[in-house]
Amino acid sequence: MTTIKDVAKQAGVSVATVSRVLNGNGYVHEDTRSKVEQSIRELNYTPNEVARSLYKRKSKLIGLLLPDIMNPYFPQLARGVEDEMQENDYRLIFGNSDEKKQKEMEYIQTFVQNNVVGVISSTNDPEADMYTGLNIPVVFLDRTSNDRPSVFADGREGGRIAAQEMMLRGSKEITVMQGPADVRPALERFEGAVEVLEDRGAAYQVLKTTSFSLTDAEGFAYELFRQYPDTDGVIASNDIVASAVLKEAHRLEKRVPEDVQIIGFDDILLSSLLAPSLSTIHQPAYEMGRAAARLLIELIEGQHIERSSIEFPVEFMERQTTRKVES
Amino acid sequence: MTTIKDVAKQAGVSVATVSRVLNGNGYVHEDTRSKVEQSIRELNYTPNEVARSLYKRKSKLIGLLLPDIMNPYFPQLARGVEDEMQENDYRLIFGNSDEKKQKEMEYIQTFVQNNVVGVISSTNDPEADMYTGLNIPVVFLDRTSNDRPSVFADGREGGRIAAQEMMLRGSKEITVMQGPADVRPALERFEGAVEVLEDRGAAYQVLKTTSFSLTDAEGFAYELFRQYPDTDGVIASNDIVASAVLKEAHRLEKRVPEDVQIIGFDDILLSSLLAPSLSTIHQPAYEMGRAAARLLIELIEGQHIERSSIEFPVEFMERQTTRKVES
DNA sequence: TTGTAAGCGTTATCAC
DNA sequence: GTGATAACGCTTACAA
């Protein structure tokens, strides 16, 4: 490995001088500068970030903690974060938490051990000690927090919209699938839907689900139509679950949307490709990832912060699993 | 931040002793050990990995470079890698290359600057200087390399199988969609398909495509049926493209699989959820990710290597976009 | 304008 | 068994 010493020797100067041209601070004669720059080029030198990080007690690394990159919603978030970070010369240490506090803690710890300068996390508990005790900026992504920096979509409103659209399009026996109780965004969209249903005195049932995995979702879908065979409208906890419901409806030879309407949540790639294509509540995941990264960078670099809590609007994507409404 | 010095002071010993108990080497009296361990617990001390990394010139970090985490195939690979690494106390620095040499180089460089001990990369050019010049182990994932460690699926055989199944099930005017020419696995599966088609003297056309993005794929699908309206069998370059073809076929009111058969590649989540569900060539992506990680760890830790080039078999998933064959 | 040297938090060598 | 201390590669006072 070539170090700053090698460059210094080559150029016939001290390491301090090399460091100065590297970082562009302090005085350095134009001639010296070009000599040094040439040596850098000749030796193909790049500074050791670890040594830098040790001295400055800060790196160019960011910790990114997501529940599960295999869930199709999260890659969009991740890519948004990555693109913004990459453009600003930050790098990502990445981990999956599986919504497990234990794994979450382990990652946060190793983030700290590696001198990350900031963390982006999708946690269900932003008030946990591991975050409040951190002395670097944290941005919560896809998770709400009132008093701490966060970027999220308006899930509650999403739930409301889903219920409204469902009723507007004529469903009378609505089943709301409640996502895992400990996953905050899942809870919020559920509450939003129920709020509207209650308000309007509509008939509805709740089916509790405990995971977003496809295999489990197929089981929930089966249960759904077994327990509530007369349901004519399903508000699913996300698009994966909605897909499973759609598939099960097909299997039972129910017509969609004539016999049952289905509304999902997230608007992942899959949704528009299904036949019939899935009506769903769209979240701008990629943009949310970017926004979280931008916010974190502002926090890190001590810039002026406009808003430290950014809520993105959601949007109903009318596709083919809901009926047309006469205008 | 609490350092080894703080622990030493608390425990009334020198930093050397603390280091010894931390790393479990050298002699240390049982009483001293427990005193030190207690101080570590009390102060909630964890060693600074950056300082360690500087001294030892190696970290617990791995560089992972994938083309695009938003392409549904890669999250499975990534998760496989992550799970295996996490279980072995390694952490991942992650980047997307977009199949661009420039981005790839930037990432490899920052990997090195951060003292990563190994790299897993999906590159199209394993022989590039940036890899050959690296003095840490590299494993190529989802990319073939004869003489360097790599983990990949038998894409060529996948292409062959696709062509065979297509003909076996009665397609006479097959269109093979060729993926981006510079993406190695895409090329291999294409060549495999053509090999069989040529061998059997079958009629076929080729449609070149340049990307795997859904938006582009829809354009290719449109072109496909415009240029080759009589095609009765499509071998797509991956499942995303296959989905777009399926959608376009629906739009043109072609029956699938009666009028056109479609075979995809990858077997992503989406494929089994489509209606009709997509017949495709399955790659065990998650397992491939794990295998790559395991191999890299063996390389890093200097263990005995069984095989440094691991090829996974692919498998035809018969679903509903291909016709049944009489047995 | 440049060089010397201390220090970032570890580990490992060598005395004691 | 244990403690000083040099070293890892860099940045930054401070001196010159």
Side-chain angles (χ1 to χ4, degrees), chain B residues 3-293:
Chain B
T3 75
I4 199 172
K5 258 190 193 156
D6 303 324
V7 176
K9 199 183 298 176
Q10 260 261 7
V13 299
S14 76
V15 293
T17 302
V18 179
S19 177
R20 278 187 207 104
V21 347
L22 238 32
N23 298 287
N25 47 27
Y27 295 93
V28 35
H29 192 93
E30 196 43 59
D31 296 354
T32 326
R33 172 185 311 283
S34 46
K35 249 194 315 182
V36 171
E37 278 168 349
Q38 189 180 347
S39 300
I40 289 178
R41 254 177 282 115
E42 285 176 14
L43 295 176
N44 214 293
Y45 166 79
T46 57
N48 181 324
E49 284 297 334
V50 177
R52 278 191 166 167
S53 171
L54 179 60
Y55 182 84
K56 317 230 286 198
R57 294 216 216 54
K58 48 167 66 175
S59 65
K60 294 295 269 180
L61 295 173
I62 301 288
L64 174 62
L65 197 54
L66 259 22
D68 177 14
I69 196 72
M70 289 213 288
N71 175 327
Y73 172 66
F74 293 109
Q76 304 180 58
L77 244 30
R79 185 69 210 250
V81 172
E82 205 264 348
D83 283 355
E84 187 73 28
M85 286 302 177
Q86 200 267 350
E87 289 167 16
N88 289 276
D89 293 327
Y90 289 96
R91 296 293 178 245
L92 255 26
I93 303 187
F94 171 73
N96 296 288
S97 71
D98 288 322
E99 316 267 12
K100 298 263 182 23
K101 202 142 187 167
Q102 182 56 36
K103 283 190 93 179
E104 212 176 320
M105 286 184 56
E106 286 180 25
Y107 267 108
I108 297 296
Q109 192 187 109
T110 60
F111 289 166
V112 172
Q113 290 181 297
N114 284 283
N115 274 7
V116 303
V117 282
V119 169
I120 295 181
S121 170
S122 301
T123 183
N124 293 304
D125 188 7
E127 313 303 333
D129 294 349
M130 65 180 129
Y131 295 110
T132 55
L134 228 48
N135 56 356
I136 49 173
V138 182
V139 169
F140 296 101
L141 176 55
D142 191 45
R143 306 291 148 124
T144 321
S145 174
N146 298 323
D147 47 342
R148 317 202 59 202
S150 51
V151 173
F152 51 91
D154 191 349
R156 193 170 303 267
E157 178 65 10
R160 283 189 211 109
I161 294 174
Q164 282 157 9
E165 296 290 342
M166 208 43 122
M167 295 176 74
L168 175 67
R169 286 148 209 277
S171 285
K172 304 287 183 212
E173 281 288 328
I174 297 175
T175 305
V176 187
M177 300 180 78
Q178 177 177 7
D182 53 341
V183 178
R184 290 274 285 270
L187 192 59
E188 283 160 17
R189 54 187 82 159
F190 171 74
E191 288 173 351
V194 166
E195 179 190 317
V196 167
L197 264 8
E198 290 280 354
D199 265 17
R200 313 258 188 108
Y204 74 96
Q205 305 97 26
V206 172
L207 186 93
K208 287 185 202 284
T209 69
T210 51
S211 114
F212 285 139
S213 92
L214 179 59
T215 327
D216 294 342
E218 289 176 336
F220 301 140
Y222 175 81
E223 268 312 300
L224 168 70
F225 290 114
R226 200 182 61 78
Q227 285 188 38
Y228 310 114
D230 296 332
T231 197
D232 65 349
V234 178
I235 298 178
S237 44
N238 76 359
D239 286 352
I240 299 289
V241 174
S243 309
V245 171
L246 178 57
K247 200 174 171 190
E248 179 68 9
H250 276 311
R251 202 182 63 81
L252 297 173
E253 297 184 348
K254 289 176 184 281
R255 292 167 308 159
V256 177
E258 294 82 354
D259 301 335
V260 204
Q261 300 193 93
I262 303 173
I263 296 182
F265 212 106
D266 285 349
D267 195 17
I268 59 181
L269 184 64
L270 162 67
S271 316
S272 62
L273 252 12
L274 291 175
S277 57
L278 185 67
S279 295
T280 190
I281 308 294
H282 172 83
Q283 301 197 70
Y286 178 81
E287 276 311 325
M288 288 166 62
R290 273 215 183 250

Side-chain angles (χ1 to χ4, degrees), chain A residues 166 233-236 242 245-246 249 256 260-264 278-279 321-322:
Chain A
M166 208 44 122
V234 178
I235 298 178
V245 171
L246 177 59
V256 178
V260 204
Q261 301 193 94
I262 304 173
I263 296 182
L278 185 66
S279 296
T321 56
T322 45

